[in-house]
């Protein structure tokens, strides 16, 4: 869906949502996972943080964090745990840290909600930009496509765009309608499968909640591989 909507040819994909955080690149009919979270997804981290500081779920916790982070007025950047392990990231430690700050320093008036939101966004997104850039270098790609609900965040898009520009590349940010959960992406995958003779009788169908991205054979794409740089 992202390739169609953005006109991207063969991008490195940053998949960021409430249930997933992965850096992916296509090769030989598989979407290969180069890096991912080793604990909780970034969307889950943001949702739990929003609850900890009392932000509303309307329209979404992540959106309200973004608005708080860019609210007018000076903000102090708080040093938070930055955990990148090779190509993987970890968010549970930073979540615990900001929850403790919310319980103590925030209640004592030493910091503000805006300080926390701003610092958390900058730290989390810097981690994602770092591992995405490594995947670009490894695959020799010049395009990055951001998908998933967290991909709606304008600050994440800006930080990624800055990195991609330095590499003379192109950022493909998805339309927000297709970043969040939607039936169009499921229908498109079904159409592609049907066009290539892949069908399943209704009685044999089931749901696999933890079906990994790289388990699916993308028969609708040519079996091409990346070139290392």
């Amino acid at each position: 869906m992202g390739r169609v909507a953005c006109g991207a040819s063969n991008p490195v994909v940053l998949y960021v949502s409430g249930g997933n955080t992965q850096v992916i690149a296509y090769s030989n009919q598989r979407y290969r996972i180069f890096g991912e979270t080793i604990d909780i997804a970034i969307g889950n981290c943001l949702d739990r943080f929003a609850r900890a500081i009392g932000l509303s779920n309307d329209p979404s916790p992540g959106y309200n964090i973004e608005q708080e982070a860019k609210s007018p007025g000076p903000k102090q950047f708080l040093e938070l745990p930055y955990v990148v392990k090779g190509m993987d990231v970890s968010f549970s430690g930073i979540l615990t840290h900001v929850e403790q700050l919310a319980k103590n320093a925030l209640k004592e008036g030493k910091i503000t909600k805006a300080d926390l939101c701003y610092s958390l966004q900058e730290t989390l997104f810097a981690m994602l930009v770092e591992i995405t850039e490594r995947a670009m270098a490894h695959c020799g790609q010049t395009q990055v496509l951001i998908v998933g609900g967290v991909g709606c965040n304008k600050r994440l898009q800006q930080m990624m765009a800055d990195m991609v520009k330095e590499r003379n590349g192109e950022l493909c940010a998805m339309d927000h309608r297709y970043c969040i959960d939607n039936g169009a992406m499921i229908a498109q995958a079904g159409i592609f499968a049907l066009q290539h003779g892949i069908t399943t009788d209704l009685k044999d169908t089931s749901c696999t909640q933890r079906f990994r991205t790289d388990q699916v054979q993308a028969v609708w794409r040519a079996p091409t591989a990346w070139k290392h740089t």
Side-chain angles (χ1 to χ4, degrees):
M1 177 63 73
R3 290 172 57 240
V4 172
C6 298
S9 55
N10 192 24
V12 169
V13 181
L14 176 63
Y15 175 22
V16 279
S17 67
N20 293 280
T21 303
Q22 296 176 338
V23 176
I24 307 163
Y26 174 80
S27 177
N28 288 327
Q29 296 193 315
R30 300 275 178 178
Y31 284 95
R32 315 287 176 172
I33 300 173
F34 276 80
E36 60 188 325
T37 175
I38 60 175
D39 40 53
I40 61 175
I42 187 169
N44 183 259
C45 176
L46 292 170
D47 289 351
R48 290 165 63 178
F49 165 71
R51 287 197 296 270
I53 64 171
L55 291 183
S56 170
N57 287 331
D58 183 23
S60 71
Y63 176 81
N64 292 325
I65 292 171
E66 181 182 4
Q67 301 313 304
E68 192 73 37
K70 66 181 184 181
S71 60
K75 302 174 188 68
Q76 59 172 316
F77 178 77
L78 310 170
E79 291 288 344
L80 303 177
Y82 185 99
V83 187
V84 175
K85 299 184 177 183
M87 283 294 294
D88 295 328
V89 291
S90 172
F91 300 127
S92 60
I94 190 172
L95 175 62
T96 299
H97 190 84
V98 292
E99 286 177 334
Q100 289 301 315
L101 287 174
K103 289 180 181 178
N104 300 309
L106 180 61
K107 286 187 176 180
E108 295 168 4
K110 296 179 180 178
I111 58 175
T112 65
K113 288 184 180 181
D115 293 335
L116 279 172
C117 292
Y118 168 73
S119 302
L120 182 63
Q121 275 199 166
E122 294 298 302
T123 305
L124 293 179
F125 297 164
M127 293 161 61
L128 296 176
V129 170
E130 178 182 336
I131 61 173
T132 303
E133 183 173 18
R134 288 181 185 168
M136 289 180 71
H138 181 80
C139 299
Q141 305 290 14
T142 58
Q143 293 180 320
V144 172
L145 172 65
I146 304 178
V147 300
V150 181
C152 296
N153 190 290
K154 297 300 183 183
R155 178 56 182 156
L156 172 59
Q157 294 178 16
Q158 179 186 353
M159 291 175 67
M160 192 66 70
D162 290 342
M163 179 275 289
V164 172
K165 183 178 180 181
E166 290 180 0
R167 299 183 63 86
N168 297 315
E170 178 187 6
L171 174 67
C172 308
M174 274 289 280
D175 186 308
H176 74 279
R177 295 173 299 174
Y178 302 122
C179 279
I180 60 176
D181 293 338
N182 65 89
M185 60 184 180
I186 299 170
Q188 185 190 42
I191 290 171
F192 283 161
L194 180 63
Q195 288 173 339
H196 289 79
I198 300 175
T199 60
T200 306
D201 288 339
L202 184 60
K203 62 182 177 62
D204 297 325
T205 60
S206 62
C207 295
T208 306
Q209 185 176 2
R210 296 189 179 276
F211 205 54
R212 284 181 60 82
T213 307
D214 52 4
Q215 286 182 265
V216 180
Q217 184 177 8
V219 296
W220 51 87
R221 293 196 61 182
T224 56
W226 60 74
K227 294 181 181 179
H228 302 282
T229 57

